[in-house]
Amino acid sequence: MMADASGELYHPMLLDPDDQADLLRDTGSARGTFADPLATPTPSTARRAGLHRLQVLLSPMPGAPNELYLGPSSRVRLGRRGSLHLSPGGRLEGDTFFNAFFLDFWRARAGIRRVGITCRANGALRLRLVGHFPGGRTRRLAVWDHPGDVEVSLRWIWDEAMAADAVRLSLSVEALSEARIAEIAFVSDRPPAREVRLAVGIVTHDREALFEPTARALADLATVMPDLLRVHVVNHGPAFRGEGLRTLLDRPLFHVVEQPNLGGCGGFARAMVEAMEAPEAPTHLLLMDDDILLDPRIIARAAAFAAHAAADVVVGGQAIELECPARLQEAWGRLGENWLPRMEGSHLDLAAPGALQFWDRCPDVHYNGWWFSLIPLRAIRACGLPTPIFLRGDDIEYGLRLRASGVPTVPLPGLGVWHASVRYKHVGMVQYYDLRNGLITAASHPSLAPPPGALQVLGWAMHHLLVHRYRAAAASLMAVADFLGGPDVALRPNGAARHRRLVEAMKVLPMPDRRQVPEVAGMRQPAAYDVAASRPLTVTSAALLTLRILIGLRPRQITTLQIGAPDPLAIGGAPYLLALEPQGRRCLVMLPRKGLFLRLLARALWLSLRYGLTRQKAAMRWRDRLPALRDRAHWAREFGQARD
């Protein structure tokens, strides 16, 4: 959660319902045209029919960091309906994560050749357009006034002849009199390439406290965004208990599906089926997690990009750390060496000077997390349903499949949602899914890169053993064995039953103790492991750390605090505390257990040898069976299981 000035925790989307509706009312149109009462001619060069919103400047969402919306020198007051009030001399600086216009993305994927600014305001304003160029260079491109006696004004501010190499545009606004800004929008006179009619798919499992604000935000958004047709809620948990949530979900906007717990993968697969078969005939499906914090206005922005893109694209959003709400968790995903997922942009301070240069160029990406991912239903029909891998990596495999079919993923900046950081999640069993599903994905896409070798698989298990994560190591070894066994072993009889077997297997292993740490000052705090930046674990270093664990004495006092993923080379085989939250006050006590270490090490050596000898045959079995596992008949059987 986030904290206000008093230090009390609150949910930033728990707004007064009227405030929530007011915030959305001026920015909800998916089509983004100006065929509304504001198109009435005025004495100025006003808003006209035929203009199309690309991106609306967003006022700060209550509870979210202001610096992600407005620059540090801004002096504004937030009014009703998201309006911005400026006293004479007041300023608004828009070169921020949510309000900069990332021109290279629009130019590369939508072919935009001309951009204008419409301003709807009461009061006189001076607007300055700044162009941002590669290497951090900036140049003022235009200055113009919005007269105080004109409600709506239009100014064309960019074309390729004016600044062909600009990668980003931003606005600076100064009040020449008392002024109220109702809306500032980047617009185009180029019509959208396609119609976008939206369905939303959300999978939830007993997270009512986080899910309900998102559901309310979607309900409010639908009142001002007619192209938001339906929200498919796939419930894997118990029946909803909260009276307010149950009443909300009774609205026609929502379609609730109760099904057995098939993991996020099974839930999103069900949402895809429901959207494809819906009588409303949506064109796009927005997949979102149930535990995000959402500024719902970004949905119209994503829809506008999808509408204007020159060809079908997936529009992906960014994950921002819930615990540190100005820090980026992942901008987009790429697979690195040995199929290791790389969280691009991880740890970037979004409010820091120069941070937005990270998005100077529209990147070539492999996938985007399904915390916020807008997918054309036409592409889903062509690619089929996800592989039934329960959870973890379903978005990776499906993103690669979409990419191979010619539907790229565009991680348009300014579509951030707040999501709990993986830095403080240390659930050992997820390593089963990370490794097993990664091996399945590698088998599915042999043209992208060879499958990981035997040493890489051994290194995966050794990494966990050397930092005393025995549940994670055991889960990883189960993953290798199940992959080698093929679909008949790994998916039998179904994902839900397989998950229960995994949970039971983990219960027999010791769970680390928890400890409250009153004071962390003075403790050694190694850097977190980073797959792209950290030194690799070699055979020699693994052997030396193994010896240190086996012959080492346990110190009387633990002096190392690890925040984030532990690095074996930094831990050095010693006991340490593993933080469960950013301040490191709640921790797991990670201790070496020599007997368990040796048992798991022996199994790791045997399984890696077996993997090296039989991985190609296993990969071929998976490739042969995957088409049948992805079809509707297979998923229909999964959907039809009895709920626990």
Side-chain angles (χ1 to χ4, degrees):
M1 299 294 172
M2 302 177 191
D4 62 14
S6 68
E8 294 187 7
L9 296 178
Y10 63 94
H11 191 309
M13 288 298 291
L14 291 180
L15 306 180
D16 178 272
D18 291 336
D19 288 344
Q20 179 66 61
D22 286 344
L23 195 64
L24 293 166
R25 192 166 289 124
D26 287 326
T27 56
S29 173
R31 291 192 180 96
T33 63
F34 296 111
D36 57 28
L38 293 173
T40 303
T42 69
S44 68
T45 54
R47 179 188 306 232
R48 307 164 185 177
L51 296 181
H52 306 274
R53 287 187 184 94
L54 304 178
Q55 176 176 311
V56 173
L57 188 145
L58 301 181
S59 56
M61 183 181 73
N66 278 5
E67 59 268 28
L68 299 191
Y69 293 85
L70 301 176
S73 60
S74 299
R75 299 192 301 278
V76 302
R77 305 187 309 277
L78 181 63
R80 299 281 292 180
R81 298 183 61 179
S83 63
L84 294 164
H85 294 250
L86 287 78
S87 300
R91 300 184 65 85
L92 182 158
E93 300 292 343
D95 188 29
T96 60
F97 172 74
F98 279 112
N99 282 324
F101 186 78
F102 293 87
L103 179 63
D104 194 69
F105 285 72
W106 288 90
R107 189 167 45 199
R109 293 298 185 184
I112 294 296
R113 297 290 179 263
R114 188 160 80 140
V115 177
I117 292 288
T118 59
C119 178
R120 179 158 58 93
N122 296 321
L125 301 170
R126 178 158 294 158
L127 296 91
R128 297 177 175 86
L129 177 75
V130 177
H132 302 260
F133 299 85
R137 295 180 295 112
T138 62
R139 188 170 80 239
R140 183 180 297 173
L141 300 181
V143 180
W144 72 100
D145 288 349
H146 172 89
D149 57 350
V150 170
E151 183 183 2
V152 185
S153 62
L154 165 69
R155 169 73 179 243
W156 293 106
I157 48 95
W158 175 86
D159 61 36
E160 288 192 302
M162 177 182 181
D165 57 340
V167 294
R168 186 172 82 250
L169 303 175
S170 66
L171 276 178
S172 173
V173 181
E174 179 184 0
L176 304 179
S177 67
E178 191 72 29
R180 173 187 176 273
I181 300 174
E183 180 188 280
I184 294 177
F186 292 87
V187 302
S188 173
D189 56 357
R190 181 175 179 174
R194 67 191 54 75
E195 186 179 15
V196 172
R197 300 187 307 276
L198 282 177
V200 175
I202 300 178
V203 185
T204 187
H205 189 287
D206 204 18
R207 285 171 165 165
E208 290 189 29
L210 282 172
F211 168 57
E212 183 173 352
T214 298
R216 291 194 180 280
L218 291 171
D220 289 335
L221 180 62
T223 65
V224 295
M225 186 176 181
D227 293 326
L228 175 54
L229 305 178
R230 205 76 187 274
V231 178
H232 301 281
V233 178
V234 183
N235 183 26
H236 284 170
F240 296 116
R241 299 178 292 275
E243 182 178 352
L245 180 58
R246 291 201 309 269
T247 301
L248 177 68
L249 295 179
D250 282 340
R251 297 186 187 183
L253 174 68
F254 294 97
H255 172 219
V256 178
V257 177
E258 304 282 353
Q259 74 174 23
N261 181 14
L262 303 178
C265 180
F268 286 126
R270 183 64 177 268
M272 291 177 179
V273 170
E274 297 294 335
M276 286 190 287
E277 297 179 351
E280 302 88 5
T283 62
H284 289 68
L285 175 64
L286 174 61
L287 301 179
M288 293 195 303
D289 282 345
D290 65 339
D291 60 346
I292 61 171
L293 302 184
L294 169 74
D295 185 334
R297 297 170 295 176
I298 68 172
I299 294 177
R301 182 176 295 185
F305 191 90
H308 284 271
D312 278 340
V313 297
V314 177
V315 184
Q318 302 76 47
I320 306 172
E321 288 194 12
L322 182 63
E323 300 84 353
C324 300
R327 184 163 64 193
L328 183 64
Q329 183 172 183
E330 182 173 326
W332 65 81
R334 284 188 62 84
L335 291 168
E337 189 176 358
N338 296 313
W339 291 86
L340 291 174
R342 296 179 57 165
M343 299 167 62
E344 300 289 351
S346 180
H347 311 319
L348 178 67
D349 181 352
L350 293 173
L356 301 187
Q357 293 179 45
F358 180 74
W359 287 279
D360 274 358
R361 296 298 183 189
C362 182
D364 176 26
V365 311
H366 288 154
Y367 61 91
N368 199 95
W370 282 354
W371 45 72
F372 189 98
S373 188
L374 180 63
I375 308 176
L377 280 171
R378 180 164 51 192
I380 294 175
R381 290 188 177 95
C383 282
L385 296 171
T387 303
I389 53 180
F390 199 75
L391 54 81
R392 307 282 290 191
D394 44 353
D395 45 14
I396 297 176
E397 194 281 325
Y398 204 77
L400 291 176
R401 214 187 316 162
L402 287 166
R403 185 174 183 264
S405 71
V407 182
T409 294
V410 181
L412 181 69
L415 299 181
V417 298
W418 287 270
H419 196 286
S421 174
V422 297
R423 286 161 56 89
Y424 316 106
K425 295 180 179 179
H426 307 292
V427 182
M429 74 176 66
V430 301
Q431 296 299 327
Y432 171 86
Y433 293 107
D434 283 345
L435 182 52
R436 187 204 66 176
N437 297 348
L439 295 174
I440 294 171
T441 299
S444 308
H445 301 272
S447 61
L448 186 63
L455 275 180
Q456 281 73 43
V457 168
L458 175 61
W460 186 293
M462 288 301 302
H463 183 109
H464 299 304
L465 285 174
L466 295 173
V467 293
H468 326 317
R469 298 186 65 190
Y470 299 114
R471 289 188 169 209
S476 301
L477 298 177
M478 287 181 64
V480 177
D482 282 359
F483 171 76
L484 294 177
D488 290 339
V489 171
L491 303 179
R492 188 183 63 202
N494 54 61
R498 196 68 180 172
H499 183 72
R500 287 193 294 270
R501 173 183 174 273
L502 175 64
V503 171
E504 292 302 316
M506 293 298 102
K507 285 181 180 178
V508 304
L509 295 171
M511 182 71 181
D513 292 335
R514 292 178 178 244
R515 178 182 297 180
Q516 293 286 340
V517 182
E519 182 55 62
V520 301
M523 298 193 74
R524 187 174 75 96
Q525 297 187 28
Y529 178 77
D530 185 288
V531 66
S534 297
R535 287 185 298 153
L537 185 68
T538 65
V539 172
T540 299
S541 58
L544 290 174
L545 288 173
T546 297
L547 288 173
R548 185 176 297 176
I549 289 172
L550 294 178
I551 66 175
L553 297 176
R554 185 176 299 179
R556 294 181 178 179
Q557 184 176 2
I558 299 176
T559 58
T560 298
L561 171 65
Q562 179 67 63
I563 299 178
D567 184 338
L569 298 178
I571 295 300
Y576 64 100
L577 301 179
L578 184 57
L580 295 170
E581 41 84 36
Q583 292 75 31
R585 298 300 176 90
R586 294 187 301 111
C587 298
L588 297 175
V589 183
M590 308 302 291
L591 302 174
R593 299 174 184 265
K594 297 178 184 179
L596 184 56
F597 179 94
L598 285 171
R599 291 198 302 273
L600 292 174
L601 175 60
R603 181 163 172 74
L605 291 169
W606 159 242
L607 271 174
S608 62
L609 175 61
R610 183 179 156 211
Y611 172 84
L613 295 173
T614 63
R615 62 177 175 165
Q616 296 298 342
K617 290 183 179 179
M620 290 178 63
R621 284 199 298 273
W622 280 100
R623 281 198 294 273
D624 289 343
R625 288 288 306 281
L626 284 174
L629 294 172
R630 294 166 177 160
D631 68 19
R632 290 201 189 189
H634 175 88
W635 274 111
R637 291 191 294 273
E638 294 269 331
F639 299 150
Q641 300 165 38
R643 286 172 64 90
D644 292 337

